[in-house]
Amino acid sequence: SPPEQHYDDNTITMTRKSKQPGGHNPLTYAETKRLKSSGYGTQSTRLTSQSMLPFGHCCLSLSQIEGDAVATPSGHIYSRETIVQYLLTKNRELKEQKAEYDRKRLQVENRRAEWEEKQQKKSQQSFRSKDQGAMSNALVLKDGGGGGQEAKTENSLSHVSYWLSSSQPDASAAGDGFDYEKEIMALPSPPPGRPPSPMSGEPLKLKQLIPIHLVYEQDEGISNNGGRVLCSVSQKRITTQETIAIKSSGQVMLASVFNELAKPTMTCPVTGKKFKDKDVINLIKGKSGFAASGNVEAKKYNPTLT
C-alpha cells in the first residue's frame, strides 16, 4: 500500500487545475464574468424604449417629423425635407464616382489600343526580319560561312548558364505583360445608377416617395404631443402594432382596422376613395423595450484569447 501523506496546517491543498483561475484556456465562467466589466469579449446590453425609434419618427434624422411625411415602398417613414436632401446629395456623389470610373476605364482602353498597335507593328517587323533572315542565311550557306558553330555554342550556354544576360526573361517577349481582363478586374465596381434607400438599401427615386398623412395626439393644447401618432380611423395610439398606409389617399391606420373596414369594400374609410391591392403599403412597426416588439439586444464584438 502507498505510504501515508501527512500535511501541515500551513499546507494549501490544490484543487483540480480546471478550477484554478487562469489555469487553462478557455477561461472559466467566473473569470469571463469578472473580465466582462473591463471590456473583454463580446459585449451585449438590453435596449430600453429610449433606444428605440417610435412610430412616426423620421428614420434618417431620428426625430419627430415636423413638416410633410413620406413613405418609401419598403415601408419606412421619412421627413420629406430630410429624404430629398439625402437623395440630392447622393446623386451628386454618384455622378462624381461615375466620372472617375469612366476616366479609369478610358485609361485601360487607351493602354489596350496602344498595346494592340505595338503588337501589330512587332508582328510586321518579325515577318520582315524572318524574310530577310532566310535570304541572308541562304547567302551565308552559299558562301560557306563558319558562323553556325558560334551560334550553336551560344544557344547551348543559354540553357545551362542561367546567370548570363542572354538567359534572362524578356518582358517584351511576353507581350509587355499587358492583361486586359486583369486590368478590368482591378477597376473598382461601377457605381449604381440610383442612390440606395437609407434603410432598405434598394434603389430609390424621388418619384417613389409616397405622401402620407399622420394624425398626432393632441393633449392640453400641445401640438404633436411627443410625436405619438394615432390611427386615422379609430383614433387609437400606434406604438408597436402592424400599420397600413393607403397610397391613393395617404391615410395611415392600424392593420386590424384596415382588414375590418377598408379591405372588404376596397374603399378608404376616411376619404371614400377607391384603392387597389398595389396601393396598400405595410409600414415598418415601431419598437419598444419589450422583446415582443423585435430585437431588443445590442452586441459589440471584441477579440478574445480563445
Side-chain angles (χ1 to χ4, degrees), residues 70-74 76 78 80 83-88 90-91 94 192-198 200-211 247:
V70 294
T72 57
S74 60
H76 295 89
Y78 300 94
R80 177 180 290 275
I83 191 63
V84 168
Q85 183 64 31
Y86 166 82
L87 292 177
L88 293 176
K90 285 298 180 181
N91 278 322
L94 290 178
R194 294 289 178 180
S197 174
S200 65
E202 298 294 331
L204 183 63
K205 299 180 182 179
L206 187 62
K207 64 180 182 180
Q208 290 180 319
L209 300 179
I210 305 165
K247 184 177 179 180

Side-chain angles (χ1 to χ4, degrees), residues 149-161 164:
Q149 185 65 24
E150 297 179 358
K152 185 177 180 180
T153 304
E154 183 177 357
N155 291 334
S156 62
L157 286 176
S158 63
H159 290 290
V160 297
S161 304
L164 296 178

Side-chain angles (χ1 to χ4, degrees), residues 90-276:
K90 285 298 180 181
N91 278 322
R92 183 170 59 251
E93 293 178 358
L94 290 178
K95 287 182 179 179
E96 296 176 356
Q97 295 176 7
K98 183 66 166 55
E100 181 66 17
Y101 175 80
D102 292 341
R103 184 184 65 83
K104 293 182 178 180
R105 181 64 182 264
L106 183 60
Q107 290 179 353
V108 175
E109 296 295 339
N110 291 337
R111 289 200 300 269
R112 180 186 183 183
E114 294 176 358
W115 178 78
E116 290 179 348
E117 183 180 0
K118 185 185 298 183
Q119 291 300 311
Q120 186 177 5
K121 291 181 179 179
K122 185 180 296 184
S123 61
Q124 294 175 358
Q125 183 65 26
S126 177
F127 176 77
R128 294 193 189 98
S129 62
K130 287 182 180 179
D131 190 20
Q132 295 175 0
M135 296 177 60
S136 61
N137 289 336
L139 294 175
V140 169
L141 292 175
K142 185 177 180 180
D143 295 340
Q149 185 65 24
E150 297 179 358
K152 185 177 180 180
T153 304
E154 183 177 357
N155 291 334
S156 62
L157 286 176
S158 63
H159 290 290
V160 297
S161 304
Y162 54 85
W163 56 86
L164 296 178
S165 60
S166 59
S167 302
Q168 302 306 314
D170 189 5
S172 61
D176 296 338
F178 182 81
D179 190 348
Y180 178 74
E181 294 184 359
K182 186 177 180 180
E183 293 282 342
I184 293 297
M185 293 296 293
L187 291 176
S189 58
R194 294 289 178 180
S197 174
M199 300 300 295
S200 65
E202 298 294 331
L204 183 63
K205 299 180 182 179
L206 187 62
K207 64 180 182 180
Q208 290 180 319
L209 300 179
I210 305 165
I212 58 176
H213 179 63
L214 297 179
V215 179
Y216 292 95
E217 183 179 11
Q218 304 294 331
D219 188 10
E220 298 180 358
I222 303 175
S223 62
N224 297 0
N225 185 19
R228 291 176 289 191
V229 182
L230 303 179
C231 173
S232 59
V233 180
S234 63
Q235 299 300 311
K236 292 182 180 180
R237 183 184 299 177
I238 301 176
T239 53
T240 60
Q241 308 97 313
E242 293 185 2
T243 312
I244 298 295
I246 300 177
K247 184 177 179 180
S248 58
S249 62
Q251 299 298 322
V252 178
M253 62 192 73
L254 295 173
S256 58
V257 177
F258 171 81
N259 294 330
E260 182 179 356
L261 301 178
K263 190 174 182 179
T265 60
M266 300 300 286
T267 304
C268 179
V270 180
T271 62
K273 293 182 179 180
K274 292 286 185 178
F275 62 90
K276 300 179 180 180

